[in-house]
Each structure stands twice: as structure tokens, then as C-alpha cells.
Amino acid sequence: MVQSIERAQERETTPLLSKQQNDFEKETTTPITKNRRWLMSTLALCSAMMAQSYLIISVFPYSGFLAMHLLPQLDSENVGSYAGYIASCFMVGRTFSSFEWGKATDRYGRKFAIQATLFLSAIFSIAFGLAPSFKLALLFRFLLGLSNGMIGSVKTIISEINRENETEETKMMALVLGMWGYGFLLGPAISGYLSEPVKQYPNSSLAQGPLRQVRDCILHSINQILEFGRLI
């Protein structure tokens, strides 16, 4: 009886993890490791946020040219409203899907939501650039917004990474959301440079190629795929 009690007490005092496992746990939670993880997480979220903001705003410089290309009867006098339809369809899609994306992040995880957003954005960007009609262009632009679950997922991840550390959370939040502004700054400049390549660069063989109408959308897609790979 006494021996059984002693064995039971010994089991109660035996560490659940071996010394080697405990040493490994301490090693992986050193300040240097934590700082490295924080930095890599910040870089990944910053790049993903910038890619999405670039995707939203980059259509503005060429939306009017695109509308006139898809609807030849339009001219510079009456193209404004049609260009507005193209630009606003993205936010309409987000309006219908934001709440559902929030539920998806709780059920399937934050990383899944961000990866799905980047992957679907790459697909629908190409489809938008290849749209043969104005209605299909509106549809694919709407689907781009419908498949966008980035903002809520990123903000949630920031809070979870920096749990009980308000200083680090504030710093990461400022950096990541600041990238949204940089995307708004760079997006129109790059899209304006790439829009109407046949007219802007008549002597360029690249501008006269078969992909001249979707060059900017291909850039969107490559950007989204790169960020998707970064988060795998």
C-alpha cells in the first residue's frame, strides 16, 4: 500500500515534458526568436495589406479608358458614370461578404482567410483584365470585392500576435495599416503608367503585344500570388 502511494506521488511530481523538451521550449521563446517572429509577421502582413490596397485603387486611372474600350459608343462626355460603376463594384462586393468573411476566419482560421483572399484576388484580377464585355468586367470586379476578407483578418491577427502587449500591438497596427496608404499612393501611379500602352508607347513592341489590355491586371495577379506564397 505504501509503495503504491509512493509510486503515485512520483508520477504526480514527474514533469510532463522531458528536460530536452523544456530546453527546446526555452530556446524557441528567447527574446531574439520572439523579435524575429514579430518582424517576419509584420513584414508578411504589411505586404499583404499593401497588395490589397493596390488592387482596390489601381483601377481608377484607367477605368474610363476601359469603359470606352468595352462600350465603343461612349466618349469622354458620358463615360464618367460607367467608369464609376467599375470602380464601385469592388466595394459593393465587400459590403455583401464582410460579415461572412468574419465568420469564416473564426471557423477556418485567420491564415486561411488571408490566403484565400490573395488566391481568389489573383484569379479574378486576370478574369477582370480579360473580360470581353462591360457586364463581365463589372461581374469580375464585384467578385474581387466579394472574395476580399483581408482587413478584418489582419486586424484580428495583429491583436492575437501581440496579446497582452499593447505597445507592440500599437506599433504593428500602425505599420500594417500604414501600408494601406502606401498602396493608395503607388497604385494609381503604376496603373497610370501602364494604362493605354498602345497610345503612350507606340514604338514599344511590348506595348503592342497581345496582352496589352491585361498588363496591369497581370501585375495585380502576380502581386497577389507572391503574397500568397509568402504566407504559406
Side-chain angles (χ1 to χ4, degrees), residues 2 14 26 34-35 38 50 67-68 73 78 88 115 127-128 137 150 155 166 175 177 180 187 189 208 220-221 227:
V2 174
T14 301
K26 290 178 181 178
K34 286 183 178 180
N35 290 336
W38 187 91
M50 187 173 179
M68 287 190 292
Q73 69 272 22
N78 56 11
S88 62
Q115 288 178 333
F128 173 69
M150 182 68 66
K155 290 182 177 180
E166 294 184 1
L175 290 171
L177 296 186
W180 190 261
Q208 307 298 328
H220 299 334
S221 182
E227 298 310 320

Side-chain angles (χ1 to χ4, degrees), residues 208-224:
Q208 307 298 328
L211 297 179
R212 62 184 182 274
Q213 300 296 340
V214 295
R215 206 160 274 126
D216 188 60
C217 295
I218 290 174
L219 181 61
H220 299 334
S221 182
I222 293 173
N223 197 10
Q224 304 300 314

Side-chain angles (χ1 to χ4, degrees), residues 6-49:
E6 290 178 352
R7 284 196 296 268
Q9 290 176 344
E10 183 179 355
R11 286 196 299 269
E12 290 294 329
T13 57
T14 301
L16 296 177
L17 297 176
S18 65
K19 183 179 184 300
Q20 184 179 2
Q21 290 174 307
N22 281 322
D23 292 340
F24 176 76
E25 182 178 347
K26 290 178 181 178
E27 181 182 350
T28 57
T29 56
T30 59
I32 295 177
T33 305
K34 286 183 178 180
N35 290 336
R36 186 183 296 116
R37 288 179 177 177
W38 187 91
L39 179 61
M40 296 305 296
S41 299
T42 303
L43 289 175
L45 293 176
C46 283
S47 56
M49 183 66 78

